[in-house]
Amino acid sequence: AQKITQTQPGMFVQEKEAVTLDCTYDTSDPSYGLFWYKQPSSGEMIFLIYQGSYDQQNATEGRYSLNFQKARKSANLVISASQLGDSAMYFCAMREPSNTGKLIFGQGTTLQVKP
Amino acid sequence: DGGITQSPKYLFRKEGQNVTLSCEQNLNHDAMYWYRQDPGQGLRLIYYSQIVNDFQKGDIAEGYSVSREKKESFPLTVTSAQKNPTAFYLCASSIINSHNQPQHFGDGTRLSIL
């Protein structure tokens, strides 16, 4: 069965510094997609970045980048130059190989950015 | 402006009462999903639907029901059989035949017991 594990319940980072949020996954399917979402205290889920299993390069999107290590089955999110508005819960998710579009979510990591 | 609209934002349920949460999307997505989120936890799938008039149970379907009479709409009913309904409910939609397309989410409904 597929599984997503986020081992850091909470993280702190100083404003303007970089931070890495960990995500490991388990799947036997060679084709999969990994997503990161941000959930501010208001509750909405904001899509940040996507990494496909066959992508040759690590995904980047502005200040967000993925450290994708396929052999280790990890897809860690790196946020550079942290801002106060980055304080939120972050979820890693994996798309099921079936064509349902279903996502499996990790437990999330709460990030607090200190001024 | 395309998106997903959930209503109401806050909902209170009395003992023995059924309540219905609304979810409407104008993204022309085939698939729609309902998730439950408890405080400090991840999202758990309640139901999902890939096509009109068809839906499947997710991981925690007991005590919930859905319908999909229109492509744009996927209402969730929290029945009296759901003994612990207090949670944050999120609706999402997606394209299903494209692996790199994310799910798009509404702003959620917070349900509490009176």
Side-chain angles (χ1 to χ4, degrees):
Chain A
Q2 297 181 309
K3 189 178 179 183
I4 293 278
T5 303
Q6 294 180 256
T7 57
Q8 306 153 312
M11 292 277 288
F12 290 93
V13 65
Q14 206 67 37
E15 193 178 9
K16 298 181 186 176
E17 292 185 350
V19 63
T20 297
L21 306 183
D22 293 343
C23 173
T24 58
Y25 58 91
D26 190 18
T27 181
S28 57
D29 199 292
S31 176
Y32 51 88
L34 295 157
F35 300 81
W36 275 92
Y37 285 86
K38 172 185 178 181
Q39 187 180 41
S41 57
S42 50
E44 72 269 28
M45 294 283 281
I46 302 166
F47 165 66
L48 296 177
I49 196 167
Y50 166 82
Q51 181 82 46
S53 59
Y54 293 123
D55 292 344
Q56 294 297 314
Q57 293 186 321
N58 287 343
T60 62
E61 198 69 53
R63 293 187 298 111
Y64 304 109
S65 61
L66 270 178
N67 182 1
F68 181 48
Q69 299 187 43
K70 198 169 178 178
R72 290 178 138 188
K73 293 189 175 179
S74 73
N76 299 337
L77 177 69
V78 181
I79 305 174
S80 63
S82 296
Q83 301 171 357
L84 296 177
D86 293 335
S87 294
M89 199 152 182
Y90 289 81
F91 290 97
C92 180
M94 179 165 58
R95 188 159 178 150
E96 281 197 355
S98 65
N99 245 353
T100 63
K102 286 168 61 179
L103 292 178
I104 300 163
F105 285 87
Q107 288 296 91
T109 296
T110 300
L111 177 66
Q112 291 195 28
V113 180
K114 294 181 177 179
Chain B
D1 198 15
I4 299 178
T5 302
Q6 288 189 243
S7 63
K9 197 171 177 69
Y10 299 94
L11 188 57
F12 297 92
R13 194 191 90 168
K14 292 180 182 177
E15 213 51 56
Q17 186 183 41
N18 292 354
V19 292
T20 297
L21 285 60
S22 170
C23 177
E24 303 277 332
Q25 55 103 354
N26 61 2
L27 299 167
N28 199 32
H29 286 168
D30 289 311
M32 296 187 74
Y33 314 83
W34 273 107
Y35 294 94
R36 171 182 170 137
Q37 185 180 27
D38 292 288
Q41 302 295 313
L43 279 65
R44 293 185 291 168
L45 184 64
I46 304 173
Y47 268 99
Y48 66 99
S49 167
Q50 295 177 264
I51 195 169
V52 173
N53 292 324
D54 189 38
F55 47 83
Q56 284 76 40
K57 293 181 179 179
D59 301 317
I60 54 165
E62 187 174 348
Y64 301 97
S65 66
V66 293
S67 63
R68 187 91 186 273
E69 296 176 4
K70 299 187 300 181
K71 186 176 185 178
E72 302 79 18
S73 179
F74 192 40
L76 173 75
T77 297
V78 184
T79 73
S80 56
Q82 174 49 248
K83 297 306 178 190
N84 183 22
T86 298
F88 186 53
Y89 292 85
L90 282 159
C91 178
S93 71
S94 75
I95 298 169
I96 53 175
N97 291 321
S98 180
H99 288 275
N100 64 352
Q101 293 300 309
Q103 288 186 8
H104 297 259
F105 285 82
D107 289 344
T109 294
R110 293 191 188 274
L111 175 62
S112 302
I113 293 186
L114 278 177

